[in-house]
Amino acid sequence: MKDYYQLLGVTERATEREIKQAHHQLAFQLHPDRTPDPQAQARFLDVQEAYEVLGDYHRRLAYDLLRQRARELAAAPRHGPSRYDPPPAPAQRRGPRQKDIWAAQLRRYVPWATRFNRLTVFFCLVLFLDWAVPLREYGQEYVTAREIVFVSVTKANPKIAFHVTTTHTNFLLREEWGTERLRVGSPLTVWRTPIWRVVRRIQPVGQVAFQPYGGGIYGALAFWPAALLLVAAVGLFPRRPDELRVNAAVVAGLLLIITLFVLVRSA
């Protein structure tokens, strides 16, 4: 804080007249028109500033109060607070960061994600076992019903197949095979898996054996259980981040829905 009294060369008890006279005398001596000295010009500006404060009653009163406070602060011991210091703000507890909150929420779901991934892997192993064990043979089957179904997803190239129902099984058959090889009442032999009862092979009497349309979940659609097994296994790898375990369970859940849908359509 500048000492305006010192700049004007007056005491703190100087009257308005004394302040005005001191300013007039210094301004006359230091005016830039009278001296080219840069220091004198800088001091002239300080004198003008001091007179603007001390020449006004209200501004001088506020300036004196600030000077008094500055003196008390300077005289106060450094290790203790001053009475002019603002009261200390209450301590605010820093809440956990958003990243920590997210990590805590993930840890809550990790046990459930791990259990789900294990069940998914077990389901895929059952599928593999169903595919690997010997097929169950159904001889002396007869076609009891044959319905036309659409298997194409585009209207530009429509494709149809036959949904064939026998005494113990049902499966899809290509259009040309259903027309030429199997009719209602035709005898045939069917081989299907023992667990999920997916038809794997068909042989009409006196003809060569063939597979049903698309091969089902153990044929052209085997990609879905393979992808399901891979994703669930990744979620069970040791020392993996919690986020990876939970995300693997979510993706495995979506793949499981698709796999179950394909399995139901194949059975």
Side-chain angles (χ1 to χ4, degrees):
M1 178 182 292
K2 295 182 180 180
D3 190 346
Y4 293 146
Y5 291 104
Q6 184 178 1
L7 288 174
L8 293 179
V10 297
T11 63
E12 297 182 4
R13 297 183 179 181
T15 62
E16 295 182 6
R17 182 178 180 181
E18 293 174 348
I19 292 175
K20 185 175 181 179
Q21 290 178 353
H23 167 258
H24 180 74
Q25 182 179 0
L26 290 174
F28 180 77
Q29 296 176 359
L30 302 174
H31 198 276
D33 295 339
R34 296 182 56 85
T35 175
D37 187 4
Q39 295 183 355
Q41 295 178 6
R43 188 180 175 190
F44 174 79
L45 296 177
D46 292 338
V47 168
Q48 291 297 111
E49 180 182 351
Y51 181 70
E52 290 178 359
V53 174
L54 300 183
D56 183 270
Y57 173 79
H58 298 286
R59 298 183 66 180
R60 180 181 179 182
L61 180 61
Y63 174 72
D64 291 341
L65 292 176
L66 289 177
R67 281 170 55 86
Q68 180 64 24
R69 180 179 178 181
R71 291 173 182 173
E72 293 182 0
L73 291 176
R78 296 184 178 180
H79 60 274
S82 171
R83 63 174 180 172
Y84 294 103
D85 293 337
Q92 297 182 356
R93 297 180 58 186
R94 294 185 58 186
R97 296 179 301 176
Q98 186 65 30
K99 185 177 180 180
D100 297 335
I101 297 176
W102 175 249
Q105 292 177 348
L106 278 179
R107 283 193 293 270
R108 294 173 51 189
Y109 297 110
V110 167
W112 295 96
T114 302
R115 296 189 189 99
F116 182 80
N117 289 329
R118 289 175 180 173
L119 291 175
T120 303
V121 170
F122 176 77
F123 170 75
C124 293
L125 294 178
V126 173
L127 283 177
F128 175 77
L129 180 64
D130 188 42
W131 171 82
V133 298
L135 299 176
R136 185 174 179 181
E137 180 180 348
Y138 290 84
Q140 300 298 322
E141 289 284 299
Y142 292 92
V143 177
T144 58
R146 191 183 66 171
E147 298 178 357
I148 297 177
V149 294
F150 287 93
V151 294
S152 176
V153 295
T154 62
K155 295 182 178 179
N157 186 23
K159 293 182 180 180
I160 63 174
F162 286 94
H163 182 265
V164 179
T165 303
T166 68
T167 309
H168 298 92
T169 65
N170 61 85
F171 50 87
L172 288 179
L173 200 62
R174 293 182 183 273
E175 179 183 3
E176 60 273 16
W177 291 353
T179 304
E180 299 175 358
R181 301 189 182 187
L182 292 180
R183 299 179 182 274
V184 176
S186 300
L188 71 160
T189 302
V190 179
W191 288 267
R192 70 179 185 183
T193 60
I195 300 177
W196 298 111
R197 300 182 179 182
V198 178
V199 175
R200 297 283 306 280
R201 192 167 55 187
I202 307 159
Q203 185 178 14
V205 175
Q207 300 184 26
V208 180
F210 56 90
Q211 292 183 349
Y213 180 84
I217 196 171
Y218 299 130
L221 300 177
F223 164 79
W224 295 110
L228 175 62
L229 177 61
L230 177 62
V231 172
V234 169
L236 293 177
F237 285 167
R239 298 181 181 179
R240 294 294 179 179
D242 295 341
E243 184 175 1
L244 177 62
R245 295 176 182 271
V246 176
N247 290 339
V250 173
V251 177
L254 298 177
L255 292 175
L256 180 60
I257 295 175
I258 299 175
T259 304
L260 291 175
F261 175 77
V262 174
L263 179 60
V264 171
R265 292 293 300 270
S266 302

